Amino acid sequence: KNQVEQSPQSLIILEGKNCTLQCNYTVSPFSNLRWYKQDTGRGPVSLTIMTFSENTKSNGRYTATLDADTKQSSLHITASQLSDSASYICVLDNYGQNFVFGPGTRLSVLP
Amino acid sequence: DSGVTQTPKHLITATGQRVTLRCSPRSGDLSVYWYQQSLDQGLQFLIQYYNGEERAKGNILERFSAQQFPDLHSELNLSSLELGDSALYFCASSVQGGVNTEAFFGQGTRLTVV
């Protein structure tokens, strides 16, 4: 069983709509949970970093939440743009000793 | 542009060969991370160096090795290459490499083993 699972695997939405991506994890303990955006063939770009004690972190139109009790995190994207089309990856950082990546959600924003 | 430079961008080599991937971190960053991204396994953490010393090790094969030099650039050496080693190899750097430190990724080296 993967330590970090993401859903949905892929998602198609229309420009301007909101969407929420999910991340479920079993990694424990961990120091922080990160969300990355990765355009095809390019390096990931950090969106948010939340420590295990934080519940929410925003970066512009991106808002990440963390529920340590249910071991779930979500990334909410508001007013989507065509440039949001990318893979979104959830990562658990085990105090810098290891980084466990989720498989990603592939988001396509259509005009 | 993240400021992290990886060379080469593309590399094609035969099975059994050895290659070296190079990473120059952002100016001022002391920590370098290496990751492998293959189609069937997603991103995997390989190894981290901080100021020349190995700090953390992930799923790195014994055929792979890395080092960080005094000028802080890093190299990832892949030997006895197999078809399954074909992947994108990313390097990332951060200021200190401690917990909660943001890491900046390079554009990757695409390795194809034929």
Side-chain angles (χ1 to χ4, degrees), chain B residues 43-88:
Chain B
L43 270 161
Q44 290 201 78
F45 167 64
L46 297 178
I47 197 164
Q48 179 198 0
Y49 280 83
Y50 174 74
N51 205 20
E53 302 275 334
E54 182 184 305
R55 172 167 279 193
K57 185 177 280 192
N59 301 319
I60 187 167
L61 300 173
E62 286 191 8
R63 300 183 287 108
F64 296 0
S65 65
Q67 54 184 325
Q68 186 179 28
F69 295 86
D71 68 352
L72 300 177
H73 90 271
S74 178
E75 292 180 355
L76 178 67
N77 300 297
L78 315 175
S79 62
S80 302
L81 285 167
E82 302 174 359
L83 295 178
D85 297 327
S86 295
L88 264 171

mmCIF file of all heavy atoms in Angstrom, chain B residues 43-88:
data_model
loop_
_atom_site.group_PDB
_atom_site.id
_atom_site.type_symbol
_atom_site.label_atom_id
_atom_site.label_comp_id
_atom_site.label_asym_id
_atom_site.label_seq_id
_atom_site.Cartn_x
_atom_site.Cartn_y
_atom_site.Cartn_z
ATOM 1 N N LEU B 43 7.725 10.379 -8.665
ATOM 2 C CA LEU B 43 8.959 10.940 -8.121
ATOM 3 C C LEU B 43 9.437 10.131 -6.926
ATOM 4 O O LEU B 43 8.657 9.787 -6.042
ATOM 5 C CB LEU B 43 8.728 12.382 -7.672
ATOM 6 C CG LEU B 43 8.984 13.460 -8.715
ATOM 7 C CD1 LEU B 43 8.293 14.749 -8.336
ATOM 8 C CD2 LEU B 43 10.472 13.704 -8.887
ATOM 9 N N GLN B 44 10.747 9.863 -6.906
ATOM 10 C CA GLN B 44 11.320 9.170 -5.752
ATOM 11 C C GLN B 44 12.571 9.908 -5.298
ATOM 12 O O GLN B 44 13.416 10.284 -6.115
ATOM 13 C CB GLN B 44 11.677 7.729 -6.117
ATOM 14 C CG GLN B 44 10.496 6.830 -6.351
ATOM 15 C CD GLN B 44 10.889 5.376 -6.201
ATOM 16 O OE1 GLN B 44 11.041 4.850 -5.109
ATOM 17 N NE2 GLN B 44 11.048 4.723 -7.336
ATOM 18 N N PHE B 45 12.670 10.068 -3.992
ATOM 19 C CA PHE B 45 13.832 10.727 -3.415
ATOM 20 C C PHE B 45 15.009 9.762 -3.413
ATOM 21 O O PHE B 45 14.882 8.611 -2.989
ATOM 22 C CB PHE B 45 13.490 11.169 -1.995
ATOM 23 C CG PHE B 45 14.667 11.594 -1.158
ATOM 24 C CD1 PHE B 45 15.429 12.690 -1.502
ATOM 25 C CD2 PHE B 45 15.003 10.883 -0.015
ATOM 26 C CE1 PHE B 45 16.505 13.083 -0.728
ATOM 27 C CE2 PHE B 45 16.080 11.263 0.779
ATOM 28 C CZ PHE B 45 16.834 12.358 0.413
ATOM 29 N N LEU B 46 16.154 10.223 -3.894
ATOM 30 C CA LEU B 46 17.342 9.378 -3.924
ATOM 31 C C LEU B 46 18.302 9.694 -2.778
ATOM 32 O O LEU B 46 18.641 8.825 -1.982
ATOM 33 C CB LEU B 46 18.072 9.544 -5.255
ATOM 34 C CG LEU B 46 17.310 9.105 -6.512
ATOM 35 C CD1 LEU B 46 18.130 9.369 -7.760
ATOM 36 C CD2 LEU B 46 16.911 7.642 -6.421
ATOM 37 N N ILE B 47 18.763 10.949 -2.721
ATOM 38 C CA ILE B 47 19.798 11.269 -1.743
ATOM 39 C C ILE B 47 19.884 12.773 -1.554
ATOM 40 O O ILE B 47 19.500 13.527 -2.448
ATOM 41 C CB ILE B 47 21.159 10.687 -2.196
ATOM 42 C CG1 ILE B 47 22.157 10.627 -1.042
ATOM 43 C CG2 ILE B 47 21.708 11.454 -3.393
ATOM 44 C CD1 ILE B 47 23.349 9.725 -1.346
ATOM 45 N N GLN B 48 20.357 13.197 -0.389
ATOM 46 C CA GLN B 48 20.537 14.608 -0.077
ATOM 47 C C GLN B 48 21.945 14.851 0.448
ATOM 48 O O GLN B 48 22.462 14.056 1.237
ATOM 49 C CB GLN B 48 19.538 15.071 0.973
ATOM 50 C CG GLN B 48 19.705 16.549 1.363
ATOM 51 C CD GLN B 48 19.053 16.912 2.676
ATOM 52 O OE1 GLN B 48 18.460 16.076 3.347
ATOM 53 N NE2 GLN B 48 19.152 18.171 3.055
ATOM 54 N N TYR B 49 22.547 15.948 0.012
ATOM 55 C CA TYR B 49 23.832 16.396 0.531
ATOM 56 C C TYR B 49 23.672 17.786 1.121
ATOM 57 O O TYR B 49 22.874 18.596 0.640
ATOM 58 C CB TYR B 49 24.894 16.425 -0.567
ATOM 59 C CG TYR B 49 25.459 15.058 -0.840
ATOM 60 C CD1 TYR B 49 24.810 14.170 -1.681
ATOM 61 C CD2 TYR B 49 26.631 14.646 -0.229
ATOM 62 C CE1 TYR B 49 25.311 12.907 -1.905
ATOM 63 C CE2 TYR B 49 27.149 13.382 -0.451
ATOM 64 C CZ TYR B 49 26.473 12.515 -1.291
ATOM 65 O OH TYR B 49 26.971 11.263 -1.508
ATOM 66 N N TYR B 50 24.421 18.030 2.174
ATOM 67 C CA TYR B 50 24.435 19.349 2.786
ATOM 68 C C TYR B 50 25.880 19.753 3.003
ATOM 69 O O TYR B 50 26.605 19.081 3.753
ATOM 70 C CB TYR B 50 23.667 19.369 4.110
ATOM 71 C CG TYR B 50 23.767 20.668 4.849
ATOM 72 C CD1 TYR B 50 23.063 21.778 4.405
ATOM 73 C CD2 TYR B 50 24.591 20.808 5.967
ATOM 74 C CE1 TYR B 50 23.167 22.985 5.056
ATOM 75 C CE2 TYR B 50 24.699 22.009 6.627
ATOM 76 C CZ TYR B 50 23.987 23.098 6.167
ATOM 77 O OH TYR B 50 24.090 24.309 6.813
ATOM 78 N N ASN B 51 26.284 20.802 2.333
ATOM 79 C CA ASN B 51 27.626 21.351 2.489
ATOM 80 C C ASN B 51 28.705 20.270 2.358
ATOM 81 O O ASN B 51 29.656 20.235 3.128
ATOM 82 C CB ASN B 51 27.746 22.052 3.851
ATOM 83 C CG ASN B 51 28.830 23.116 3.841
ATOM 84 O OD1 ASN B 51 29.245 23.599 2.788
ATOM 85 N ND2 ASN B 51 29.310 23.479 5.011
ATOM 86 N N GLY B 52 28.534 19.405 1.393
ATOM 87 C CA GLY B 52 29.531 18.388 1.099
ATOM 88 C C GLY B 52 29.342 17.056 1.789
ATOM 89 O O GLY B 52 30.008 16.081 1.444
ATOM 90 N N GLU B 53 28.432 17.009 2.757
ATOM 91 C CA GLU B 53 28.233 15.765 3.515
ATOM 92 C C GLU B 53 26.887 15.143 3.160
ATOM 93 O O GLU B 53 25.896 15.852 2.998
ATOM 94 C CB GLU B 53 28.251 16.062 5.020
ATOM 95 C CG GLU B 53 29.523 16.727 5.509
ATOM 96 C CD GLU B 53 30.584 15.718 5.817
ATOM 97 O OE1 GLU B 53 30.243 14.557 6.124
ATOM 98 O OE2 GLU B 53 31.774 16.092 5.745
ATOM 99 N N GLU B 54 26.851 13.820 3.097
ATOM 100 C CA GLU B 54 25.579 13.142 2.886
ATOM 101 C C GLU B 54 24.691 13.331 4.110
ATOM 102 O O GLU B 54 25.117 13.077 5.237
ATOM 103 C CB GLU B 54 25.820 11.651 2.635
ATOM 104 C CG GLU B 54 24.555 10.861 2.360
ATOM 105 C CD GLU B 54 24.844 9.377 2.213
ATOM 106 O OE1 GLU B 54 25.677 9.003 1.385
ATOM 107 O OE2 GLU B 54 24.207 8.591 2.957
ATOM 108 N N ARG B 55 23.437 13.768 3.888
ATOM 109 C CA ARG B 55 22.544 14.024 5.012
ATOM 110 C C ARG B 55 21.413 13.005 5.104
ATOM 111 O O ARG B 55 21.013 12.639 6.193
ATOM 112 C CB ARG B 55 21.973 15.421 4.933
ATOM 113 C CG ARG B 55 20.874 15.699 5.958
ATOM 114 C CD ARG B 55 20.554 17.146 6.066
ATOM 115 N NE ARG B 55 21.501 17.861 6.916
ATOM 116 C CZ ARG B 55 21.315 19.092 7.381
ATOM 117 N NH1 ARG B 55 20.239 19.751 7.046
ATOM 118 N NH2 ARG B 55 22.222 19.685 8.137
ATOM 119 N N ALA B 56 20.872 12.622 3.981
ATOM 120 C CA ALA B 56 19.762 11.672 3.997
ATOM 121 C C ALA B 56 19.830 10.812 2.755
ATOM 122 O O ALA B 56 20.315 11.246 1.709
ATOM 123 C CB ALA B 56 18.426 12.404 4.061
ATOM 124 N N LYS B 57 19.357 9.591 2.903
ATOM 125 C CA LYS B 57 19.393 8.667 1.774
ATOM 126 C C LYS B 57 18.020 8.049 1.617
ATOM 127 O O LYS B 57 17.425 7.579 2.597
ATOM 128 C CB LYS B 57 20.451 7.599 2.012
ATOM 129 C CG LYS B 57 20.660 6.649 0.853
ATOM 130 C CD LYS B 57 21.780 5.653 1.152
ATOM 131 C CE LYS B 57 23.135 6.238 0.929
ATOM 132 N NZ LYS B 57 24.208 5.213 0.929
ATOM 133 N N GLY B 58 17.529 8.040 0.393
ATOM 134 C CA GLY B 58 16.232 7.427 0.118
ATOM 135 C C GLY B 58 16.411 6.135 -0.636
ATOM 136 O O GLY B 58 17.243 5.308 -0.309
ATOM 137 N N ASN B 59 15.623 5.964 -1.690
ATOM 138 C CA ASN B 59 15.641 4.707 -2.451
ATOM 139 C C ASN B 59 16.716 4.712 -3.525
ATOM 140 O O ASN B 59 16.432 4.523 -4.700
ATOM 141 C CB ASN B 59 14.272 4.490 -3.096
ATOM 142 C CG ASN B 59 13.172 4.428 -2.064
ATOM 143 O OD1 ASN B 59 13.329 3.822 -1.015
ATOM 144 N ND2 ASN B 59 12.058 5.077 -2.352
ATOM 145 N N ILE B 60 17.935 4.887 -3.139
ATOM 146 C CA ILE B 60 19.016 4.941 -4.122
ATOM 147 C C ILE B 60 19.666 3.574 -4.249
ATOM 148 O O ILE B 60 19.991 2.930 -3.248
ATOM 149 C CB ILE B 60 20.052 6.022 -3.753
ATOM 150 C CG1 ILE B 60 21.073 6.193 -4.879
ATOM 151 C CG2 ILE B 60 20.713 5.740 -2.410
ATOM 152 C CD1 ILE B 60 21.934 7.445 -4.747
ATOM 153 N N LEU B 61 19.804 3.117 -5.496
ATOM 154 C CA LEU B 61 20.394 1.806 -5.746
ATOM 155 C C LEU B 61 21.897 1.837 -5.472
ATOM 156 O O LEU B 61 22.538 2.881 -5.532
ATOM 157 C CB LEU B 61 20.155 1.409 -7.211
ATOM 158 C CG LEU B 61 18.699 1.293 -7.663
ATOM 159 C CD1 LEU B 61 18.624 1.062 -9.159
ATOM 160 C CD2 LEU B 61 17.997 0.163 -6.907
ATOM 161 N N GLU B 62 22.455 0.671 -5.221
ATOM 162 C CA GLU B 62 23.903 0.589 -4.966
ATOM 163 C C GLU B 62 24.708 0.948 -6.208
ATOM 164 O O GLU B 62 25.860 1.380 -6.117
ATOM 165 C CB GLU B 62 24.267 -0.811 -4.492
ATOM 166 C CG GLU B 62 23.838 -1.085 -3.058
ATOM 167 C CD GLU B 62 24.440 -2.366 -2.508
ATOM 168 O OE1 GLU B 62 25.305 -2.965 -3.190
ATOM 169 O OE2 GLU B 62 24.051 -2.772 -1.408
ATOM 170 N N ARG B 63 24.088 0.790 -7.385
ATOM 171 C CA ARG B 63 24.770 1.138 -8.641
ATOM 172 C C ARG B 63 24.868 2.649 -8.829
ATOM 173 O O ARG B 63 25.551 3.132 -9.724
ATOM 174 C CB ARG B 63 24.016 0.540 -9.836
ATOM 175 C CG ARG B 63 23.892 -0.959 -9.827
ATOM 176 C CD ARG B 63 23.203 -1.473 -11.071
ATOM 177 N NE ARG B 63 21.774 -1.215 -11.090
ATOM 178 C CZ ARG B 63 21.172 -0.332 -11.859
ATOM 179 N NH1 ARG B 63 21.863 0.425 -12.677
ATOM 180 N NH2 ARG B 63 19.849 -0.192 -11.833
ATOM 181 N N PHE B 64 24.145 3.387 -7.998
ATOM 182 C CA PHE B 64 24.131 4.845 -8.108
ATOM 183 C C PHE B 64 24.946 5.426 -6.954
ATOM 184 O O PHE B 64 24.916 4.919 -5.826
ATOM 185 C CB PHE B 64 22.702 5.382 -8.022
ATOM 186 C CG PHE B 64 21.788 4.961 -9.137
ATOM 187 C CD1 PHE B 64 22.209 4.139 -10.173
ATOM 188 C CD2 PHE B 64 20.472 5.403 -9.144
ATOM 189 C CE1 PHE B 64 21.353 3.757 -11.192
ATOM 190 C CE2 PHE B 64 19.607 5.032 -10.167
ATOM 191 C CZ PHE B 64 20.048 4.202 -11.182
ATOM 192 N N SER B 65 25.615 6.513 -7.221
ATOM 193 C CA SER B 65 26.324 7.216 -6.159
ATOM 194 C C SER B 65 26.289 8.704 -6.458
ATOM 195 O O SER B 65 26.055 9.120 -7.602
ATOM 196 C CB SER B 65 27.767 6.728 -6.042
ATOM 197 O OG SER B 65 28.488 7.055 -7.222
ATOM 198 N N ALA B 66 26.511 9.489 -5.451
ATOM 199 C CA ALA B 66 26.498 10.939 -5.636
ATOM 200 C C ALA B 66 27.558 11.564 -4.753
ATOM 201 O O ALA B 66 28.070 10.934 -3.826
ATOM 202 C CB ALA B 66 25.117 11.508 -5.314
ATOM 203 N N GLN B 67 27.881 12.785 -5.058
ATOM 204 C CA GLN B 67 28.770 13.551 -4.187
ATOM 205 C C GLN B 67 28.510 15.028 -4.394
ATOM 206 O O GLN B 67 27.981 15.434 -5.439
ATOM 207 C CB GLN B 67 30.232 13.213 -4.437
ATOM 208 C CG GLN B 67 30.704 13.351 -5.874
ATOM 209 C CD GLN B 67 32.156 12.901 -6.024
ATOM 210 O OE1 GLN B 67 32.974 13.096 -5.136
ATOM 211 N NE2 GLN B 67 32.477 12.298 -7.155
ATOM 212 N N GLN B 68 28.892 15.809 -3.394
ATOM 213 C CA GLN B 68 28.800 17.263 -3.487
ATOM 214 C C GLN B 68 30.197 17.807 -3.278
ATOM 215 O O GLN B 68 30.876 17.456 -2.310
ATOM 216 C CB GLN B 68 27.846 17.832 -2.445
ATOM 217 C CG GLN B 68 27.617 19.330 -2.600
ATOM 218 C CD GLN B 68 26.641 19.883 -1.569
ATOM 219 O OE1 GLN B 68 26.497 19.369 -0.477
ATOM 220 N NE2 GLN B 68 25.977 20.969 -1.923
ATOM 221 N N PHE B 69 30.607 18.664 -4.160
ATOM 222 C CA PHE B 69 31.973 19.166 -4.184
ATOM 223 C C PHE B 69 32.103 20.460 -3.364
ATOM 224 O O PHE B 69 31.095 21.057 -2.993
ATOM 225 C CB PHE B 69 32.392 19.394 -5.632
ATOM 226 C CG PHE B 69 32.466 18.125 -6.430
ATOM 227 C CD1 PHE B 69 31.340 17.615 -7.054
ATOM 228 C CD2 PHE B 69 33.654 17.413 -6.527
ATOM 229 C CE1 PHE B 69 31.388 16.431 -7.783
ATOM 230 C CE2 PHE B 69 33.718 16.236 -7.254
ATOM 231 C CZ PHE B 69 32.576 15.747 -7.871
ATOM 232 N N PRO B 70 33.342 20.872 -3.071
ATOM 233 C CA PRO B 70 33.537 22.091 -2.272
ATOM 234 C C PRO B 70 32.854 23.320 -2.843
ATOM 235 O O PRO B 70 32.461 24.211 -2.092
ATOM 236 C CB PRO B 70 35.060 22.250 -2.248
ATOM 237 C CG PRO B 70 35.580 20.854 -2.358
ATOM 238 C CD PRO B 70 34.610 20.156 -3.281
ATOM 239 N N ASP B 71 32.697 23.387 -4.173
ATOM 240 C CA ASP B 71 31.993 24.547 -4.739
ATOM 241 C C ASP B 71 30.481 24.349 -4.712
ATOM 242 O O ASP B 71 29.748 25.161 -5.260
ATOM 243 C CB ASP B 71 32.478 24.833 -6.167
ATOM 244 C CG ASP B 71 32.076 23.736 -7.150
ATOM 245 O OD1 ASP B 71 31.551 22.690 -6.700
ATOM 246 O OD2 ASP B 71 32.285 23.914 -8.359
ATOM 247 N N LEU B 72 30.033 23.293 -4.084
ATOM 248 C CA LEU B 72 28.634 22.939 -3.806
ATOM 249 C C LEU B 72 27.889 22.334 -4.984
ATOM 250 O O LEU B 72 26.738 21.920 -4.799
ATOM 251 C CB LEU B 72 27.853 24.148 -3.255
ATOM 252 C CG LEU B 72 28.421 24.718 -1.957
ATOM 253 C CD1 LEU B 72 27.641 25.959 -1.530
ATOM 254 C CD2 LEU B 72 28.398 23.670 -0.850
ATOM 255 N N HIS B 73 28.530 22.240 -6.142
ATOM 256 C CA HIS B 73 27.830 21.526 -7.204
ATOM 257 C C HIS B 73 27.839 20.034 -6.869
ATOM 258 O O HIS B 73 28.651 19.562 -6.059
ATOM 259 C CB HIS B 73 28.437 21.819 -8.576
ATOM 260 C CG HIS B 73 29.531 20.886 -9.011
ATOM 261 N ND1 HIS B 73 30.859 21.101 -8.716
ATOM 262 C CD2 HIS B 73 29.464 19.732 -9.730
ATOM 263 C CE1 HIS B 73 31.575 20.126 -9.237
ATOM 264 N NE2 HIS B 73 30.765 19.266 -9.863
ATOM 265 N N SER B 74 26.922 19.316 -7.474
ATOM 266 C CA SER B 74 26.786 17.895 -7.146
ATOM 267 C C SER B 74 26.741 17.078 -8.430
ATOM 268 O O SER B 74 26.371 17.576 -9.492
ATOM 269 C CB SER B 74 25.500 17.666 -6.343
ATOM 270 O OG SER B 74 25.319 16.296 -6.048
ATOM 271 N N GLU B 75 27.180 15.854 -8.302
ATOM 272 C CA GLU B 75 27.106 14.918 -9.420
ATOM 273 C C GLU B 75 26.445 13.617 -8.964
ATOM 274 O O GLU B 75 26.682 13.153 -7.853
ATOM 275 C CB GLU B 75 28.511 14.631 -9.966
ATOM 276 C CG GLU B 75 29.146 15.817 -10.646
ATOM 277 C CD GLU B 75 30.534 15.535 -11.198
ATOM 278 O OE1 GLU B 75 31.061 14.418 -10.968
ATOM 279 O OE2 GLU B 75 31.083 16.436 -11.857
ATOM 280 N N LEU B 76 25.631 13.078 -9.848
ATOM 281 C CA LEU B 76 24.994 11.787 -9.614
ATOM 282 C C LEU B 76 25.566 10.822 -10.644
ATOM 283 O O LEU B 76 25.472 11.075 -11.845
ATOM 284 C CB LEU B 76 23.475 11.895 -9.772
ATOM 285 C CG LEU B 76 22.662 10.620 -9.597
ATOM 286 C CD1 LEU B 76 22.737 10.132 -8.144
ATOM 287 C CD2 LEU B 76 21.199 10.847 -9.982
ATOM 288 N N ASN B 77 26.192 9.778 -10.166
ATOM 289 C CA ASN B 77 26.805 8.782 -11.030
ATOM 290 C C ASN B 77 25.934 7.547 -11.090
ATOM 291 O O ASN B 77 25.566 6.982 -10.052
ATOM 292 C CB ASN B 77 28.194 8.406 -10.502
ATOM 293 C CG ASN B 77 29.122 9.602 -10.448
ATOM 294 O OD1 ASN B 77 29.434 10.188 -11.473
ATOM 295 N ND2 ASN B 77 29.542 9.981 -9.247
ATOM 296 N N LEU B 78 25.606 7.132 -12.297
ATOM 297 C CA LEU B 78 24.775 5.954 -12.512
ATOM 298 C C LEU B 78 25.605 4.940 -13.296
ATOM 299 O O LEU B 78 26.094 5.259 -14.385
ATOM 300 C CB LEU B 78 23.512 6.313 -13.292
ATOM 301 C CG LEU B 78 22.764 7.585 -12.845
ATOM 302 C CD1 LEU B 78 21.596 7.865 -13.788
ATOM 303 C CD2 LEU B 78 22.266 7.444 -11.426
ATOM 304 N N SER B 79 25.768 3.751 -12.765
ATOM 305 C CA SER B 79 26.623 2.765 -13.439
ATOM 306 C C SER B 79 25.838 1.491 -13.729
ATOM 307 O O SER B 79 24.736 1.276 -13.206
ATOM 308 C CB SER B 79 27.839 2.454 -12.567
ATOM 309 O OG SER B 79 27.440 1.892 -11.339
ATOM 310 N N SER B 80 26.445 0.648 -14.573
ATOM 311 C CA SER B 80 25.821 -0.621 -14.981
ATOM 312 C C SER B 80 24.358 -0.390 -15.342
ATOM 313 O O SER B 80 23.460 -1.063 -14.845
ATOM 314 C CB SER B 80 25.936 -1.651 -13.852
ATOM 315 O OG SER B 80 27.282 -1.860 -13.501
ATOM 316 N N LEU B 81 24.147 0.583 -16.201
ATOM 317 C CA LEU B 81 22.784 1.036 -16.497
ATOM 318 C C LEU B 81 21.914 -0.068 -17.074
ATOM 319 O O LEU B 81 22.370 -0.906 -17.864
ATOM 320 C CB LEU B 81 22.838 2.224 -17.444
ATOM 321 C CG LEU B 81 23.263 3.538 -16.778
ATOM 322 C CD1 LEU B 81 23.590 4.589 -17.825
ATOM 323 C CD2 LEU B 81 22.186 4.027 -15.821
ATOM 324 N N GLU B 82 20.655 -0.034 -16.650
ATOM 325 C CA GLU B 82 19.644 -0.977 -17.120
ATOM 326 C C GLU B 82 18.530 -0.185 -17.793
ATOM 327 O O GLU B 82 18.384 1.026 -17.580
ATOM 328 C CB GLU B 82 19.094 -1.772 -15.933
ATOM 329 C CG GLU B 82 20.160 -2.523 -15.172
ATOM 330 C CD GLU B 82 19.602 -3.192 -13.916
ATOM 331 O OE1 GLU B 82 18.387 -3.043 -13.637
ATOM 332 O OE2 GLU B 82 20.395 -3.873 -13.211
ATOM 333 N N LEU B 83 17.733 -0.903 -18.591
ATOM 334 C CA LEU B 83 16.638 -0.233 -19.292
ATOM 335 C C LEU B 83 15.724 0.500 -18.297
ATOM 336 O O LEU B 83 15.220 1.580 -18.571
ATOM 337 C CB LEU B 83 15.835 -1.249 -20.103
ATOM 338 C CG LEU B 83 16.569 -1.933 -21.261
ATOM 339 C CD1 LEU B 83 15.656 -2.958 -21.927
ATOM 340 C CD2 LEU B 83 17.057 -0.920 -22.279
ATOM 341 N N GLY B 84 15.536 -0.103 -17.144
ATOM 342 C CA GLY B 84 14.643 0.470 -16.138
ATOM 343 C C GLY B 84 15.154 1.738 -15.495
ATOM 344 O O GLY B 84 14.427 2.388 -14.746
ATOM 345 N N ASP B 85 16.393 2.087 -15.767
ATOM 346 C CA ASP B 85 16.939 3.337 -15.222
ATOM 347 C C ASP B 85 16.532 4.535 -16.052
ATOM 348 O O ASP B 85 16.795 5.681 -15.663
ATOM 349 C CB ASP B 85 18.470 3.261 -15.153
ATOM 350 C CG ASP B 85 18.958 2.167 -14.220
ATOM 351 O OD1 ASP B 85 18.271 1.903 -13.201
ATOM 352 O OD2 ASP B 85 20.013 1.574 -14.500
ATOM 353 N N SER B 86 15.912 4.283 -17.187
ATOM 354 C CA SER B 86 15.428 5.387 -18.020
ATOM 355 C C SER B 86 14.406 6.187 -17.221
ATOM 356 O O SER B 86 13.417 5.638 -16.728
ATOM 357 C CB SER B 86 14.783 4.846 -19.300
ATOM 358 O OG SER B 86 15.739 4.189 -20.103
ATOM 359 N N ALA B 87 14.654 7.475 -17.085
ATOM 360 C CA ALA B 87 13.794 8.321 -16.249
ATOM 361 C C ALA B 87 14.259 9.759 -16.371
ATOM 362 O O ALA B 87 15.284 10.059 -16.983
ATOM 363 C CB ALA B 87 13.874 7.876 -14.780
ATOM 364 N N LEU B 88 13.479 10.630 -15.738
ATOM 365 C CA LEU B 88 13.896 12.013 -15.536
ATOM 366 C C LEU B 88 14.587 12.083 -14.184
ATOM 367 O O LEU B 88 14.048 11.584 -13.187
ATOM 368 C CB LEU B 88 12.685 12.945 -15.519
ATOM 369 C CG LEU B 88 12.291 13.676 -16.796
ATOM 370 C CD1 LEU B 88 10.952 14.360 -16.599
ATOM 371 C CD2 LEU B 88 13.343 14.681 -17.204
#
